[in-house]
Amino acid sequence: MTINRANVSAIAEDLYVWLPPKRGWGLANCGLLASETTALWIDTPYDPSLAGEFLAASRRLLPTGVEIDRVVVTHANGDHLWGAGVLPDAEVIATREALDHIHWEPSPQQQHALIANSDPDSPLGGYLREHFGVFDWSETEAVHPDTVFTGELEIKVGRYPVQITSLPAAHTGGDLMVHLPHQRAVFTGDVIFSSTPEQPGDHPSHWAGPLANVIGACEQALATGAEIFVPGHGPVLDRDGVRQHIGYLDYVRERAHALHGAGIPALDAARRVIAEQRHPELGLPERLVLTVAAEYRHLDGSAKPGILESMGQVALVARELAEEAARVPRPRSGRN
């Protein structure tokens, strides 16, 4: 996989989004709020190369002498946090609960070594290399927030208010959303993985849940009255787009609860939901393994596994899907 130059677009007054041109693991959206005196990033790209690209694009949009001096991180997955290392003097802001997720994930250098040394013939090793091998964290130091909070935090970027709200455990245990009332915009982080007919996205991967909290976070974003919603991944949405995503979440939640009630193990339940192909336009269907497993844990009180165990199941299902697709004969083209 190669990553082409991302697109930086203005979506409101002094507000810009950095949108990766592809879908896939690790390609998160980022925001820039500029003013005449200071500037703010909302989330960061995954590795130093992509973060440097976003930084160069950001600086071209800022007045002379203005620096990006704060970074708000919607959650602690590396693809939203680790790029903050290119701004060593900036204040990094996250929820207090995000600290637990930072310790649960491998560090950047640990993840780099894991991918480089994995067995490419094993399901997990092959999957990690295919989807994460393009990133380079060999010299990336772990990023830790400078400011953590719970509840509400309001800051200003020049004359613009920025309202930051911590969320109940949803995508991770330490999510937040960023509301920019002047711009009528909300950055939702990964409580939304968006998709549109013009730009199909991927299935969400939720590590914490329950899905009721993810749905609640989407409804909380709508309750701000905003008109522009920047998801963690995928195209920018309007209010109808957020409602459609809630419909997707409702479907997955209903199926997970029904299958759990029928005594179907979590991994087999995810396989069944994938086989229903309710959303064939979405990529990475194997990520439903993570979301269904998280929902099951809230239903039966089972323990949260390690990240490699979770990703191992994702990789196994991805290989099963690839093998199944290879067995399906391609239709022969007829002659005129």
Side-chain angles (χ1 to χ4, degrees):
M1 180 179 69
T2 57
I3 303 173
N4 298 322
R5 185 175 296 276
N7 180 39
V8 179
S9 305
I11 57 171
E13 184 178 2
D14 289 330
L15 180 63
Y16 306 87
V17 291
W18 186 87
L19 299 171
K22 293 184 177 185
R23 58 185 181 177
W25 284 98
L27 299 176
N29 300 329
C30 305
L32 168 69
L33 179 61
S35 78
E36 295 181 354
T37 56
T38 186
L40 170 77
W41 267 6
I42 303 169
D43 283 337
T44 76
Y46 209 176
D47 72 2
S49 176
L50 292 174
E53 178 185 317
F54 181 38
L55 179 57
S58 296
R59 284 174 169 164
R60 288 193 292 269
L61 295 167
L62 297 177
T64 301
V66 172
E67 296 292 338
I68 301 152
D69 55 15
R70 281 175 292 187
V71 179
V72 176
V73 179
T74 59
H75 60 288
N77 282 147
D79 57 336
H80 296 257
L81 171 64
W82 291 353
V86 302
L87 293 170
D89 297 324
E91 176 191 11
V92 178
I93 302 170
T95 67
R96 185 174 301 278
E97 294 77 10
L99 300 177
D100 289 336
H101 194 89
I102 290 174
H103 296 304
W104 184 69
E105 282 198 3
S107 70
Q109 293 183 13
Q110 287 173 335
Q111 185 158 311
H112 188 85
L114 173 67
I115 295 166
N117 297 325
S118 61
D119 177 3
D121 294 326
S122 70
L124 179 58
Y127 192 84
L128 292 177
R129 288 186 178 221
E130 177 184 357
H131 294 281
F132 298 90
V134 68
F135 304 107
D136 183 358
W137 308 287
S138 57
E139 298 182 1
T140 302
E141 298 293 334
V143 176
H144 296 282
D146 302 290
T147 299
V148 294
F149 75 102
T150 56
E152 306 279 342
L153 178 67
E154 182 162 337
I155 62 175
K156 298 202 77 172
V157 176
R159 61 189 177 92
Y160 300 128
V162 179
Q163 297 170 353
I164 310 169
T165 303
S166 65
L167 300 170
H171 174 67
T172 69
D175 298 336
L176 61 80
M177 70 177 184
V178 181
H179 177 211
L180 308 173
H182 180 89
Q183 287 79 10
R184 303 193 71 184
V186 171
F187 283 72
T188 69
D190 284 2
V191 297
I192 297 179
F193 288 70
S194 70
S195 180
T196 64
E198 299 77 21
Q199 189 177 342
D202 291 315
H203 283 277
S205 54
H206 293 305
W207 303 95
L211 284 170
N213 284 359
V214 184
I215 293 167
C218 294
E219 293 171 341
Q220 190 170 343
L222 287 172
T224 65
E227 299 290 340
I228 301 167
F229 301 86
V230 182
H233 299 260
V236 175
L237 296 178
D238 58 14
R239 296 181 66 84
D240 283 343
V242 176
R243 295 188 186 102
Q244 289 170 17
H245 186 65
I246 291 173
Y248 165 93
L249 296 169
D250 277 328
Y251 159 69
V252 176
R253 181 176 183 271
E254 184 275 328
R255 294 301 295 132
H257 283 232
L259 292 164
H260 182 273
I264 307 300
L267 184 57
D268 288 335
R271 290 185 174 110
R272 293 194 183 198
V273 177
I274 292 167
E276 291 171 4
Q277 295 190 355
R278 177 75 171 266
H279 293 276
E281 77 282 3
L282 299 181
L284 302 175
E286 64 272 14
R287 298 208 301 201
L288 280 161
V289 170
L290 298 173
T291 301
V292 171
E295 192 69 8
Y296 264 51
R297 289 196 296 274
H298 288 279
L299 293 171
D300 57 31
S302 54
K304 183 178 181 179
I307 190 169
L308 291 184
E309 180 181 346
S310 296
M311 289 302 297
Q313 291 190 338
V314 170
L316 174 63
V317 170
R319 179 162 291 190
E320 292 171 354
L321 293 172
E323 291 172 347
E324 180 181 349
R327 287 194 297 267
V328 176
R330 296 181 180 179
R332 295 182 179 179
S333 59
R335 294 183 179 180
N336 296 331

